[in-house]
Amino acid sequence: GESVGLHLPTLSVQEGDNSIINCAYSNSASDYFIWYKQESGKGPQFIIDIRSNMDKRQGQRVTVLLNKTVKHLSLQIAATQPGDSAVYFCAENTLGGNKLTFGTGTQLKVEL
Amino acid sequence: GAVVSQHPSWVICKSGTSVKIECRSLDFQATTMFWYRQFPKQSLMLMATSNEGSKATYEQGVEKDKFLINHASLTLSTLTVTSAHPEDSSFYICSARASWGVETQYFGPGTRLLVL
């Protein structure tokens, strides 16, 4: 259902620092995970994905870590820039499954 | 690659009118498209899954007669909000999954609907 007055968790970091955004998932059958970035008034933008047979995957300035034991996913952003300010969502799916389940999102604020 | 567009980007309409939103995959074929609704400071809520050439599958609590979905081709899906009311005001986002079988969904830029 919808929650009235829901506030997104916020992470504030200084420009140039590394950011770590965390996500807990609940479905132990999920085996495909994606991080999306959503800027205000725009649709989600694919950042990076990882399958459950991996525990780490690196992209350009971003790293996703997967801990299946505790059902935890994290997104690390190196040298955070003002343009990284956005809401970040994790999403999970089962391989071959048809639907993504989104987390609640984290607002990243980059301070100059 | 994997670009999804939506049209219009925003729309204001009077209560009781119907509004059609288009979702297009521009550089790939999408056998499956998804429609989401997002309220301020909240996550995306899946409304329905649309497969090309077949009826859409609606999530629990979403009225199929109010939110009409058509997926007539591999690059186009439409969402029609019929007899819109102020409570239908929201940010509507579509996504498309490529026909090559990868689970990644690519999202459109969203459509802001305001019903007066």
Side-chain angles (χ1 to χ4, degrees):
Chain A
E2 298 151 12
S3 300
V4 175
L6 180 69
H7 294 284
L8 287 170
T10 299
L11 173 66
S12 294
V13 299
Q14 293 290 322
E15 181 181 6
D17 288 350
N18 297 333
S19 303
I20 300 176
I21 300 171
N22 297 302
C23 177
Y25 64 95
S26 57
N27 187 356
S28 57
S30 294
D31 47 16
Y32 179 62
F33 305 88
I34 311 172
W35 280 101
Y36 287 97
K37 171 186 179 183
Q38 186 179 27
E39 297 175 272
S40 181
K42 298 182 179 180
Q45 175 187 357
F46 172 88
I47 300 174
I48 192 168
D49 60 359
I50 188 169
R51 297 193 184 279
S52 60
N53 60 352
M54 302 172 68
D55 52 22
K56 179 179 180 179
R57 190 164 186 226
Q58 289 185 291
Q60 188 176 17
R61 273 201 315 119
V62 295
T63 301
V64 56
L65 298 178
L66 174 63
N67 185 330
K68 296 181 290 294
T69 303
V70 295
K71 291 186 283 190
H72 183 267
L73 194 66
S74 69
L75 177 70
Q76 300 179 2
I77 304 174
T80 311
Q81 302 168 0
D84 295 326
S85 294
V87 177
Y88 289 81
F89 292 98
C90 66
E92 60 185 291
N93 197 1
T94 54
L95 281 173
N98 208 30
K99 295 192 293 187
L100 285 177
T101 301
F102 280 82
T104 54
T106 297
Q107 173 84 56
L108 176 65
K109 293 185 177 180
V110 181
E111 300 171 347
L112 303 176
Chain B
V3 178
V4 177
S5 70
Q6 278 183 244
H7 178 81
S9 56
W10 60 270
V11 58
I12 302 174
C13 68
K14 293 182 179 180
S15 184
T17 61
S18 294
V19 175
K20 180 186 282 189
I21 303 170
E22 291 186 349
C23 177
R24 294 182 185 272
S25 56
L26 298 185
D27 52 1
F28 67 101
Q29 292 184 330
T31 52
T32 306
M33 289 184 170
F34 304 84
W35 287 96
Y36 294 83
R37 182 166 54 182
Q38 186 179 34
F39 292 101
K41 295 191 181 298
Q42 295 191 24
S43 189
L44 283 75
M45 293 173 52
L46 180 64
M47 299 175 65
T49 301
S50 170
N51 292 297
E52 186 264 339
S54 64
K55 292 183 178 180
T57 302
Y58 290 81
E59 294 300 298
Q60 191 173 9
V62 178
E63 300 176 55
K64 62 180 181 180
D65 294 330
K66 181 168 184 61
F67 299 99
L68 300 179
I69 292 172
N70 183 275
H71 192 162
S73 77
L74 286 172
T75 59
L76 173 65
S77 176
T78 60
L79 168 69
T80 302
V81 183
T82 61
S83 186
H85 289 92
E87 58 265 29
D88 298 324
S89 299
S90 189
F91 193 49
Y92 291 87
I93 311 172
C94 73
S95 72
R97 191 169 70 192
S99 58
W100 58 76
V102 179
E103 292 77 12
T104 305
Q105 293 182 25
Y106 297 96
F107 285 82
T111 296
R112 179 77 59 191
L113 171 62
L114 177 61
V115 185
L116 303 177

